[in-house]
Amino acid sequence: MARTNSENNNNNQYVGESESESSTPPNIELDQAPIVNWKIIATSNTPTPRFDNTLVYYNKFLYSYGGSENSINSGFQQFVKLDLSTFQWQTLSAPPRTRIVHSSVIHGDCMYVFGGGVYEDVRTSFLGGTTKIFKTINELWKFEFLQNQWTQILSNAIQQTTSPSQSMTNESLNNPEPRDGHCAVVVDDNMYIIGGSQTISTNNSISSVFFRNTKIYNITTNTWRSVTSPEFGRLGSAVVYKHLDGTKCIYFFGGYGLDGNSTNKLYKFDIESEEWLEVIPKKSSLGDDTIIIPETRYGHSANVFQDKMLVYGGYSKKKGFLRDFYSFDFDKEEWKQILTEGPPRRRRHSTVLIENFDGSNKPKLFLYGGSYQSCLYNDLWEYSFPNPVQIPSDNLIEDFSTLFKNAKQYFSDICFSLESTELVGEDNNDNSNNNNNSNISKPTIVIKEIYAHKNILSVRSQYFYSLFNSGLKESFEKVIKINERYEDFKILIEFLYSGNEDLVLLENCIGILYLSDLYCVPRLKTICEAKATEGIDCETVVQIFKEADSFKLTKLRKLCLNFIARNHKELVKQGSLNQLSPSVLIEIMDYLSSSPTSTSTTSTTTSN
């Protein structure tokens, strides 16, 4: 059975595919940051960009057949192979007519190519003018890899009929109708042709004939037969999966139909009963009531990995070109989105999944070609699957932070003693005053201790290494008195344990800067320098400049000089520059005289 959709205007380059929807790429909204497992592969002798080609894998080579480069090019290399050991492309011989939106499958040592469409010259006038029109075909070709040979296959029904009459149609001979935009899969010795349509071009109009059958070609007997199916439409995807109980099924997802609308319906075909059923996705197994279903699409790709179907990219009327990645669990019958940032948005690309790549038992998914609006691709991408045994992230920083905060509990062998001034409240009862008792706070010096481990401090700071190995009394004492600000010294020691940059704040960076220089912690010194740049303003620039000058922080010092040059009038007015030494003022004057920001106001600074 077939249905026909006639259109006066060709809304698609080939087959009536609608382009009226928005083509603005959507933003991918994910609950978590993407896990980037894709990488682009550099290849040599790379073919021209293309889409609507097919890609298959055989004996360590990828084979790309057919496709389009958006021009009728007689020099188009329609059959190429990629050596996966050298990633070098090579051109192969092919049948004379370049075809697109066809199907290619592997069976044994052969590749079978069915249907698709070709461009043919049609005369437009008696004077010999011609034009190219798109024609859907039902040719079946076989490529034998070992013999490197192409053969067109005629079914036994046609071979046995030397002069078929007009009444002996494809349907009466059980031969497949001409189809393009279909899918093909192989199960045992049978090739299944699913979906697609026949494109008919007449009088500047295009009509599309959609089918309600699945064609089955037996490779051994060279015969065709047909089974009833839903009207799947064009540019969907099909895969084969064998369930744990031995049941073999074909799954068909997506595509667009007679009305031009894409779908996200999923169908299952039982090989034994030969019946198609729609699969209704179940609720997420995460424990909530969410039912995840991918956006409607066509021109995507689908592959089987273990017990899941992987769907990538395509085109949606609602969201435009896609780059999302989904998995469908065949046994749980549920969808999940794979958190990944894949190749650029595209449709009508091709993918191949290799379960045992390079004999390493590591699966790889390769993606090639495709299109995005008027842009065509010839890039090759590789997706590396995560290890099924998830390795947890290391808690080294957290553990060492815990070690610092509980150093006494974890066998500390050194203690630093520091004085800290704190406000301590006292009760003051005044019998002559009718007011209630009040707390009066007054500064009090208290002794605070910081426990640590000599080995950790020594490996993290050259100062402490020298101190503990000097032979002086500090190398033997259990308690060392430190004459530094307690809060800053505590951050210094904690940084030596954790390396946590967030310990440095704008409020404490100058004090810690001094300690990081004294105790030979260069990374902490740089962190303080970077943080200090955030606090440069007219109130602080002079003090920050003095610190940068004292600790020989070249970048911070230059930033301060540049700020002074741009704001010297305000700084002179408020008298901030008077805090600097004469030698520094002379340097600032020289800097101002050579600065492009101002050369005419140097005398103002001089007079001060």
Side-chain angles (χ1 to χ4, degrees):
M1 298 179 63
R3 296 172 69 198
T4 303
N5 176 25
S6 298
E7 299 180 2
N8 293 326
N9 297 316
N10 185 3
N11 294 328
N12 173 270
Q13 187 178 359
Y14 305 115
V15 289
E17 162 188 7
S18 173
E19 292 284 2
S20 59
E21 59 271 18
S22 169
S23 59
T24 302
N27 293 323
I28 298 178
E29 298 180 357
L30 300 176
D31 294 333
Q32 304 177 32
I35 304 171
V36 181
N37 294 95
W38 288 93
K39 67 177 181 179
I40 193 167
I41 304 296
T43 62
S44 58
N45 298 334
T46 306
T48 54
R50 64 196 60 205
F51 66 102
D52 283 340
N53 58 301
T54 56
L55 194 69
V56 298
Y57 171 74
Y58 176 80
N59 194 23
K60 300 182 180 180
F61 286 87
L62 294 182
Y63 290 81
S64 171
Y65 178 71
S68 172
E69 59 176 0
N70 261 352
S71 65
I72 311 302
N73 181 5
S74 59
F76 180 68
Q77 300 170 338
Q78 64 167 321
F79 192 32
V80 292
K81 72 175 181 179
L82 177 68
D83 188 331
L84 292 178
S85 61
T86 64
F87 288 101
Q88 182 175 12
W89 289 96
Q90 178 183 348
T91 303
L92 304 173
S93 61
R97 296 195 294 180
T98 300
R99 69 195 65 207
I100 61 173
V101 284
H102 52 284
S103 62
S104 298
V105 296
I106 296 290
H107 181 268
D109 296 317
C110 299
M111 176 177 72
Y112 291 83
V113 177
F114 173 75
V118 296
Y119 281 96
E120 291 187 340
D121 290 321
V122 175
R123 180 175 294 180
T124 57
S125 68
F126 291 106
L127 298 178
T130 62
T131 186
K132 296 283 188 182
I133 67 166
F134 183 81
K135 179 182 178 182
T136 307
I137 59 177
N138 65 345
E139 294 177 0
L140 176 62
W141 287 80
K142 176 176 70 173
F143 178 74
E144 300 174 79
F145 291 104
L146 300 181
Q147 287 76 29
N148 194 31
Q149 178 179 322
W150 284 96
T151 306
Q152 184 175 2
I153 300 176
L154 301 177
S155 70
N156 286 338
I158 294 180
Q159 293 176 13
Q160 294 167 8
T161 307
T162 56
S163 235
S165 64
Q166 294 293 329
S167 61
M168 298 183 67
T169 61
N170 285 320
E171 186 173 355
S172 64
L173 291 173
N174 263 334
N175 291 322
E177 308 87 349
R179 297 196 187 203
D180 61 69
H182 57 279
C183 299
V185 296
V186 169
V187 182
D188 299 327
D189 290 333
N190 291 317
M191 177 176 68
Y192 293 78
I193 305 297
I194 308 160
S197 67
Q198 181 178 1
T199 304
I200 303 173
S201 302
T202 56
N203 298 326
N204 296 323
S205 66
I206 289 181
S207 61
S208 299
V209 179
F210 290 80
F211 305 104
R212 290 181 174 174
N213 59 48
T214 297
K215 288 294 184 178
I216 305 174
Y217 173 71
N218 187 280
I219 297 173
T220 303
T221 62
N222 189 27
T223 56
W224 290 89
R225 61 189 182 91
S226 179
V227 296
T228 302
S229 70
E231 188 178 286
F232 291 121
R234 308 185 70 256
L235 299 178
S237 59
V239 298
V240 178
Y241 177 69
K242 183 178 180 180
H243 288 266
L244 294 177
D245 61 2
T247 303
K248 296 178 182 178
C249 295
I250 299 173
Y251 287 82
F252 185 92
F253 172 72
Y256 74 90
L258 184 66
D259 56 2
N261 293 320
S262 56
T263 181
N264 57 4
K265 289 185 177 181
L266 177 65
Y267 292 88
K268 178 174 70 173
F269 179 76
D270 188 301
I271 297 297
E272 184 175 350
S273 65
E274 296 192 339
E275 291 182 346
W276 284 98
L277 295 174
E278 183 178 354
V279 179
I280 306 300
K282 296 181 179 178
K283 295 180 180 178
S284 171
S285 58
L286 299 177
D288 53 23
D289 292 333
T290 303
I291 299 180
I292 300 174
I293 302 178
E295 184 65 45
T296 62
R297 67 191 62 209
Y298 64 84
H300 52 281
S301 60
N303 304 88
V304 171
F305 175 63
Q306 295 177 351
D307 58 350
K308 295 177 178 61
M309 175 176 66
L310 306 178
V311 173
Y312 185 83
Y315 189 85
S316 165
K317 277 197 169 185
K318 186 176 181 181
K319 292 190 174 182
F321 290 83
L322 303 171
R323 65 187 302 190
D324 51 5
F325 203 13
Y326 282 88
S327 70
F328 177 78
D329 190 305
F330 292 111
D331 297 316
K332 296 179 181 178
E333 293 189 342
E334 67 177 23
W335 288 97
K336 287 184 179 179
Q337 186 168 8
I338 301 174
L339 304 183
T340 182
E341 187 75 12
R345 293 171 174 84
R346 66 187 68 199
R347 64 177 176 181
R348 300 167 87 152
H349 52 279
S350 51
T351 55
V352 164
L353 192 146
I354 306 171
E355 295 240 9
N356 185 18
F357 178 73
D358 199 24
S360 60
N361 203 30
K362 293 183 179 179
K364 300 282 187 181
L365 177 64
F366 289 98
L367 180 149
Y368 174 66
S371 67
Y372 169 71
Q373 295 184 354
S374 60
C375 176
L376 304 184
Y377 295 107
N378 62 348
D379 50 354
L380 180 71
W381 290 79
E382 172 193 311
Y383 178 80
S384 298
F385 290 85
N387 194 301
V389 179
Q390 296 296 319
I391 301 175
S393 59
D394 198 294
N395 296 323
L396 185 65
I397 294 179
E398 293 82 355
D399 290 344
F400 269 77
S401 295
T402 301
L403 181 63
F404 165 74
K405 294 174 182 177
N406 302 278
K408 190 174 182 180
Q409 176 185 346
Y410 287 102
F411 316 109
S412 166
D413 55 1
I414 188 65
C415 175
F416 299 103
S417 176
L418 298 94
E419 292 183 352
S420 177
T421 302
E422 296 185 357
L423 295 177
V424 179
E426 294 183 354
D427 289 338
N428 180 23
N429 295 326
D430 188 353
N431 294 329
S432 63
N433 196 324
N434 293 328
N435 293 332
N436 293 330
N437 294 340
S438 61
N439 289 332
I440 298 178
S441 298
K442 64 179 187 178
T444 304
I445 296 177
V446 298
I447 302 299
K448 289 194 172 184
E449 296 177 331
I450 298 175
Y451 290 89
H453 305 81
K454 289 183 178 181
N455 53 359
I456 293 177
L457 299 183
S458 297
V459 79
R460 295 279 283 162
S461 165
Q462 184 62 39
Y463 177 94
F464 284 115
Y465 177 82
S466 300
L467 178 68
F468 297 140
N469 288 276
S470 63
L472 301 177
K473 65 175 184 177
E474 287 85 0
S475 60
F476 303 104
E477 289 180 340
K478 297 295 183 182
V479 179
I480 299 178
K481 186 176 180 180
I482 301 294
N483 295 317
E484 306 292 353
R485 188 168 177 267
Y486 168 76
E487 289 77 9
D488 293 342
F489 190 80
K490 180 183 177 183
I491 290 175
L492 169 73
I493 301 300
E494 185 173 357
F495 180 85
L496 292 177
Y497 275 79
S498 67
N500 185 3
E501 300 177 18
D502 295 334
L503 294 171
V504 180
L505 306 174
L506 191 60
E507 296 78 16
N508 62 20
C509 63
I510 298 299
I512 300 173
L513 177 62
Y514 160 74
L515 292 180
S516 62
D517 181 73
L518 176 63
Y519 287 91
C520 304
V521 189
R523 181 170 179 267
L524 180 59
K525 185 177 178 179
T526 303
I527 292 171
C528 293
E529 181 181 10
K531 181 61 68 173
T533 61
E534 301 175 9
I536 296 177
D537 57 28
C538 288
E539 300 293 330
T540 63
V541 65
V542 172
Q543 180 60 32
I544 293 176
F545 176 84
K546 292 166 68 175
E547 298 290 344
D549 189 59
S550 173
F551 297 119
K552 297 179 175 58
L553 302 176
T554 307
K555 293 180 180 179
L556 181 59
R557 194 177 189 277
K558 186 174 182 180
L559 286 172
C560 291
L561 279 175
N562 186 53
F563 184 89
I564 292 172
R566 288 185 286 108
N567 301 274
H568 65 279
K569 289 184 178 181
E570 177 67 23
L571 294 171
V572 169
K573 183 178 180 180
Q574 66 185 27
S576 299
L577 298 183
N578 296 335
Q579 304 175 37
L580 300 174
S581 65
S583 61
V584 173
L585 286 173
I586 293 174
E587 181 184 0
I588 293 176
M589 290 170 59
D590 292 339
Y591 186 87
L592 283 170
S593 64
S594 61
S595 173
T597 50
S598 176
T599 57
S600 61
T601 55
T602 307
S603 58
T604 306
T605 306
T606 306
S607 64
N608 282 275

